[in-house]
Amino acid sequence: MKKSIQLHKKYFTQNKMPDKTGHFGDFGGRFVPETLIYALDELTREYARAKHDKKFIRDLSYYLAEYAGRPTALYEAKNLSRYLGINKVYLKREDLLHTGAHKINNTLGQVILAARMGKKRLIAETGAGQHGVATATVAALFGLSCDVYMGEEDIHRQALNVMRMKLLGANVISVKTGTQTLKDAMTQALRDWVTNVRHTHYVIGTAAGPHPYPEMVRNFQSVIGKEARRQILKKEKRLPDYLVACVGGGSNAIGLFHPFYNDKSVKMIGVEAAGKGLSSGKHSASLGAGAAGVLHGSKSKILEDQFGQIKNAHSVAAGLDYPGVGPEHAYYQQTGRAKYVSITDKEALEGFKLLTLVEGIIPALESAHAIAYLKKAKKIIKKNSLIIVCLSGRGDKDLHESY
């Protein structure tokens, strides 16, 4: 346990970004109604105390290990590597965690914070349902009430996760405004929080939103990259050439990328959803086709029209169906530290089937975007490359989309 505590203390205290105002260069910050300042200041103070508190670190380490199932495996996908003609592709198996995705890393951290602040109710937004399930799970574990906002469209396409949330005791609130997807669910959750800040904690599921969420979520997800770094050095005696992860809001990707930030030899590739193609306008590629703007409390790259109105996003993967991205990713793109590419719905479905057929692992459609990128880019990736792909979740929820 001592080693685990030291690990968590290190990844909470070593980060130099964002600055004190929550900015990653030009991006980030806090753009919210005055009524939310109290809750955000309270959360900022509690998180600042908690990350230096031995009990908080010990409790989080315990639940990550004994409840969530960390560390997750770094699996050498030999069949996939052989198929692609690449030296070695490793999969960071976040799909093996309790609840089936990386989201539990963040919800465990936030529910412990909520309990420390005396909050009795959790609210969350969800697209693919994995964050909703993870929030409902920790609410049940800690005996808190839970309301999850989910777009009506996503309720239909992610029915399995809706049933899981309800079984866990959560109230799933259908959002029927706008596109009825993740953007609108997050908007409604923020409206709820404005009204109920005194007794409610909003568990944002991705590395977006107003300060301190981008930093806090990144740090809770950095366990992915910390483990992967240690594991690859043990297995290969060197760092990887590439890190690859899907990017919607971007929590799994930033969790993998950030611990390698200072390792300049390691290339980082974030894979957005090109949907039906960038030229079609039906996509979720905020970094690839968006512009700087403000959405849900922070400045980042977003999809907006000539009048500054938020465009509708689209992806076959509900968890990537969002017209914005976490501000740290926008900063990484601006500074050239990471490269961002996009994969269409059709390509993602091919990636979904590829990993299933060659490795017997059914990935979430979100993660399948990262697999599809390897297939698409195999001609430009050097054959002797060492690659780590974040397999952010399992694909049980997406089986109906593949047929």
Side-chain angles (χ1 to χ4, degrees), residues 8-19:
H8 285 290
K9 186 177 291 186
K10 183 178 179 182
Y11 79 65
F12 281 137
T13 58
Q14 71 174 0
N15 305 308
K16 297 180 180 179
M17 297 183 294
D19 64 18

Side-chain angles (χ1 to χ4, degrees), residues 233-280:
L233 286 172
K234 182 176 180 179
K235 290 174 180 285
E236 298 290 339
K237 306 296 187 290
R238 73 178 184 93
L239 293 175
D241 299 300
Y242 295 93
L243 304 174
V244 183
C246 65
V247 175
S251 63
N252 89 96
I254 210 67
L256 177 64
F257 292 176
H258 191 263
F260 292 87
Y261 182 83
N262 293 320
D263 301 305
K264 302 303 181 184
S265 65
V266 180
K267 299 178 179 66
M268 302 174 181
I269 300 174
V271 186
E272 295 189 292
K276 298 188 181 299
L278 298 188
S279 61
S280 73

Side-chain angles (χ1 to χ4, degrees), residues 19 48 73 118 155 162 172 183 206 213 230 241 322 372-373 382:
D19 64 18
I155 285 176
V162 173
V172 180
K183 169 182 72 72
T206 194
Y213 282 100
R230 186 172 67 248
D241 299 300
Y322 183 66
Y373 171 75
K382 293 181 180 178

Side-chain angles (χ1 to χ4, degrees), residues 48 232 241 294:
I232 200 69
D241 299 300
V294 175

Side-chain angles (χ1 to χ4, degrees), residues 110-127:
Q110 289 203 47
V111 76
I112 298 172
L113 285 177
R116 287 168 62 103
M117 292 186 291
K119 306 297 183 181
K120 302 299 182 184
R121 175 178 176 250
L122 301 182
I123 59 173
E125 86 294 332
T126 197

Side-chain angles (χ1 to χ4, degrees), residues 18-241:
D19 64 18
K20 291 182 179 180
T21 62
H23 282 85
F24 302 84
D26 294 334
F27 304 102
R30 183 188 286 179
F31 299 84
V32 296
E34 186 177 349
T35 47
L36 279 182
I37 297 299
Y38 165 83
L40 290 168
D41 283 347
E42 179 187 32
L43 179 59
T44 301
R45 289 192 299 269
E46 190 58 46
Y47 177 63
R49 286 192 291 263
K51 64 185 180 181
H52 298 289
D53 185 330
K54 291 181 179 179
K55 183 178 186 308
F56 175 79
I57 295 166
R58 183 170 60 249
D59 289 347
L60 179 56
S61 299
Y62 169 80
Y63 283 110
L64 287 172
E66 300 296 326
Y67 188 73
R70 304 211 71 91
T72 58
L74 185 67
Y75 167 70
E76 183 184 348
K78 294 181 180 179
N79 295 336
L80 180 64
S81 302
R82 189 159 46 245
Y83 176 89
L84 296 171
I86 295 172
N87 177 30
K88 288 184 181 180
V89 176
Y90 280 90
L91 304 177
K92 184 56 175 163
R93 296 290 308 276
E94 297 300 289
D95 60 310
L96 296 178
L97 286 171
H98 178 45
T99 73
H102 70 292
K103 297 295 187 180
I104 193 75
N105 302 322
N106 171 47
T107 59
L108 280 169
Q110 289 203 47
V111 76
I112 298 172
L113 285 177
R116 287 168 62 103
M117 292 186 291
K119 306 297 183 181
K120 302 299 182 184
R121 175 178 176 250
L122 301 182
I123 59 173
E125 86 294 332
T126 197
Q130 290 301 126
H131 175 59
V133 169
T135 304
T137 298
V138 299
L141 178 65
F142 279 73
L144 305 180
S145 66
C146 180
D147 290 318
V148 178
Y149 287 90
M150 190 172 191
E152 181 73 11
E153 174 67 20
D154 290 336
I155 285 176
H156 292 314
R157 60 177 171 171
Q158 300 293 338
L160 176 61
N161 277 339
V162 173
M163 288 188 283
R164 294 172 73 194
M165 285 183 273
K166 290 180 177 179
L167 182 62
L168 287 159
N171 179 32
V172 180
I173 301 171
S174 175
V175 178
K176 299 180 181 180
T177 56
T179 58
Q180 303 178 15
T181 55
L182 182 58
K183 169 182 72 72
D184 309 290
M186 192 167 184
T187 298
Q188 289 299 112
L190 283 166
R191 288 174 179 164
D192 182 319
W193 200 28
V194 167
T195 308
N196 300 292
V197 292
R198 296 289 176 179
H199 67 279
T200 297
H201 174 65
Y202 179 16
V203 186
I204 291 182
T206 194
H211 177 65
Y213 282 100
E215 175 190 8
M216 185 174 67
V217 175
R218 176 202 68 195
N219 286 349
F220 288 145
Q221 293 294 359
S222 286
V223 67
I224 301 171
K226 286 289 183 183
E227 285 181 4
R229 197 176 192 281
R230 186 172 67 248
Q231 289 166 324
I232 200 69
L233 286 172
K234 182 176 180 179
K235 290 174 180 285
E236 298 290 339
K237 306 296 187 290
R238 73 178 184 93
L239 293 175
D241 299 300

Side-chain angles (χ1 to χ4, degrees), residues 17 24-27 261 264 268 287 327-340:
M17 297 183 294
F24 302 84
D26 294 334
F27 304 102
Y261 182 83
K264 302 303 181 184
M268 302 174 181
L287 291 164
E328 190 164 357
H329 283 296
Y331 175 74
Y332 282 16
Q333 183 193 49
Q334 183 186 58
T335 59
R337 183 61 189 94
K339 176 183 177 182
Y340 295 88

